[in-house]
Amino acid sequence: MAMKCSICGREAVIYRKYEGKVLCRKHFLKSVRFKVSKTIRKYRMIKRHDRVVVGISGGKDSSLLLRLLWEKQKKQRHFQLEALLIDEGIKGYRDRTKKYAKQLCEELGIPYFEYSFKKTFGKTLDEMVRIEKKKYGYEVHACTYCGTLRRYLLNLGARELRASKLAIAHNLDDEAQAILANYIRGDLLRAVRMGYVPYFVEDEKFVVRIKPLRDIPEKETTLAAILLNLPFSLAECPYVVDAFRGDVRDMINMLEDKYPGIKYNIVRTFDKIQPALKSMIKPAGIKYCERCGEPTSQRICKTCMLLERVGKE
Ligand code: SF4
């Protein structure tokens, strides 16, 4: 027998085990919008006259984030909205996903900007991986290059677009996994930098990052993107082989299944202890990279160090 919405009795689209509620399309989407608005308000993520740049990829999370911020902006009109895509140069993947990102921006009338590894760093990610393998003879972890260089370029791009906020589409699962992965690895310095507004180190060269979807589980970002008919790609990056992160994800999902609400507990407990962590662990002060001038905690930033490795074939 079809499940009925706990609120109105219509046909349900989801059973939220962690709340013990069954919701129809209307009440599910209403609840997602409410949660996102609450997160934005609670952490004062968007202020009057902010210029918000959304990091988009053509995937479900960033498409949903862009759509929900667009709805908010249409109602409130006190902030500006633009979209920024980073093309890492992953053949057969990013070239496929980015057409969905462009399509959504066109549909919503949001200015679309694109920065690429090739243009900024002179090489695509595919080329960097190939050079690394040829020079050093072992299979390099593409995500190390990709993560570092993409963060660098998102910040640079957002700053060049004069953004006051950079909105990132991390969902509840991403947050819970990152928190637990940092604990397991013992990387407290990285843990201290996380949270609802990461990069607490204030610097004029850092664009403040906000994560309005951090209270929405991944299953629900997918369902909401489908129910809103958003154009998005389900393609998977060919380099996705991070076994450790995959193990952490599987472990959390297994626990969530047995003890619903675990993901929220991980994130909320972390939010409570983060102020204490911040007072205990002081990250190194901000310097500017001697090569590129971007903010870093070291003399040479990680991006420049990685680029040096693949400088010459
Ligand atoms: Fe980049 Fe790794 Fe994600 Fe692929 S899986 S997009 S290489 S971080």
Side-chain angles (χ1 to χ4, degrees), residues 5 13 36 41 45 80 88 97-98 117 121 132 137 141 148 166 178 216 219 227 231 249 273 293 302 305 308:
C5 175
V13 293
V36 171
R41 260 197 330 272
M45 288 181 174
Q80 288 182 53
E88 307 89 345
T97 70
K98 81 177 173 191
F117 280 19
F121 306 124
E132 170 92 18
H141 204 189
T148 305
L166 171 61
I216 315 290
K219 264 189 198 161
L227 293 174
R249 184 195 56 213
I273 60 171
K302 199 171 164 198
M305 289 203 273
E308 188 178 294

Side-chain angles (χ1 to χ4, degrees), residues 82-150:
E82 287 166 350
L84 171 63
L85 180 134
I86 304 299
D87 185 345
E88 307 89 345
I90 305 171
K91 204 165 184 296
Y93 172 62
R94 188 59 74 216
D95 35 358
R96 275 167 66 196
T97 70
K98 81 177 173 191
K99 67 173 191 269
Y100 293 98
K102 280 186 189 165
Q103 186 190 331
L104 183 60
C105 288
E106 265 170 37
E107 283 177 20
L108 304 178
I110 295 172
Y112 168 91
F113 297 91
E114 192 177 307
Y115 276 57
S116 73
F117 280 19
K118 182 78 177 176
K119 242 187 181 163
T120 313
F121 306 124
K123 290 180 183 69
T124 63
L125 182 67
D126 287 340
E127 286 165 347
M128 291 180 200
V129 171
R130 187 176 46 76
I131 294 168
E132 170 92 18
K133 196 174 168 191
K134 196 170 153 196
K135 267 175 102 170
Y136 303 99
Y138 55 81
E139 200 71 47
V140 64
H141 204 189
C143 300
T144 305
Y145 277 86
C146 184
T148 305
L149 271 52
R150 193 173 45 192

